[in-house]
Amino acid sequence: VGLAYDVGGRGDKSFNDAAYAGLQKVQSDLKLDVKDIEAKEGESDNDKIQRLQLLAQSGYNPVIAVGFVYATALGKVAPKFPNTKFAIIDDNSVQQANVSDLLFAEQEGSYLVGMLAAMASKSGKVGFVGGMDIPLIRKFACGYVQGVKATNADATVFQNMTGETGDAWNDPVKGGELTKAQIAQGADVVYHAAGGTGVGVLQAAADGGILGIGVDSNQNGLHPGKVLTSMLKRVDVATYEVMK
């Protein structure tokens, strides 16, 4: 079975690492031959097409595309390999018989961590730092705000997105700057949904003496005692189940 990563790749402590955890479970439990391939910064759809084609041509089946950024590439590759099963995480636009969509209710887990943020906050002010400004990340933000408000109707929620391009997922410096700005406004709990950028968010939260909230993977290990909780998206479970 094959896996193609999104930007940030293995080691992001978040989204891609969750997919890798699923791949590891496939390798250990199902005793299958696995191959994972990294993405690179600033790559084009042609790069993604070549990556997916390489896995399919090499006999890997199924092939998992980690992230909605693969939608265009997968739409072109899947018809060429009708006997290969593909799956894509966070997208449902590729209407091909051999493509499975792996979608999540991110707003629900975000609602729960919003409630926890409001309970833990002493200032009544909390923050959210998103990655790329897209509807998917707006789902995280919306659920979070609703959870906060359900617990403390008077709470203030500061919100920032990191950027408009794929680089927004891998910019921990900017993530840290946005978090510091929210702390300066009084936020004492900050939740991120920003992939590799979130490493900077959690670092700034820990350095600033407030609580961070992780995403996708359990991120407590990054700053033990400084991470209130993490919204586990369980990309690992989806990856494992579709391969199984």
Side-chain angles (χ1 to χ4, degrees), residues 68 70-79 86 88 91-101:
F68 65 88
Y70 279 96
T72 300
L74 186 56
K76 294 177 179 176
V77 174
F86 296 90
I88 182 167
D91 185 84
N92 62 352
S93 67
V94 186
Q95 301 298 315
Q96 299 287 336
N98 58 334
V99 175
S100 299
D101 310 322

Side-chain angles (χ1 to χ4, degrees), residues 49-62:
I49 287 170
Q50 290 173 9
R51 188 174 304 123
L52 295 175
Q53 284 187 165
L54 174 64
L55 288 167
Q57 287 168 346
S58 300
Y60 291 93
N61 185 9

Side-chain angles (χ1 to χ4, degrees), residues 14-56:
S14 184
F15 182 66
N16 286 285
D17 275 359
Y20 177 59
L23 191 69
Q24 285 182 300
K25 186 171 169 61
V26 166
Q27 193 172 22
S28 63
D29 291 11
L30 306 181
K31 311 299 183 195
L32 297 179
D33 179 22
V34 305
K35 183 173 182 63
D36 53 339
I37 307 181
E38 297 282 359
K40 55 181 184 286
E41 290 294 325
E43 66 176 22
S44 66
D45 280 331
N46 281 336
D47 293 313
K48 296 179 179 67
I49 287 170
Q50 290 173 9
R51 188 174 304 123
L52 295 175
Q53 284 187 165
L54 174 64
L55 288 167

Side-chain angles (χ1 to χ4, degrees), residues 125 158 177-188 210:
K125 297 176 181 178
F158 305 115
E177 290 170 350
L178 293 172
T179 304
K180 289 173 187 173
Q182 293 184 359
I183 293 171
Q185 295 176 83
D188 58 0
I210 71 160

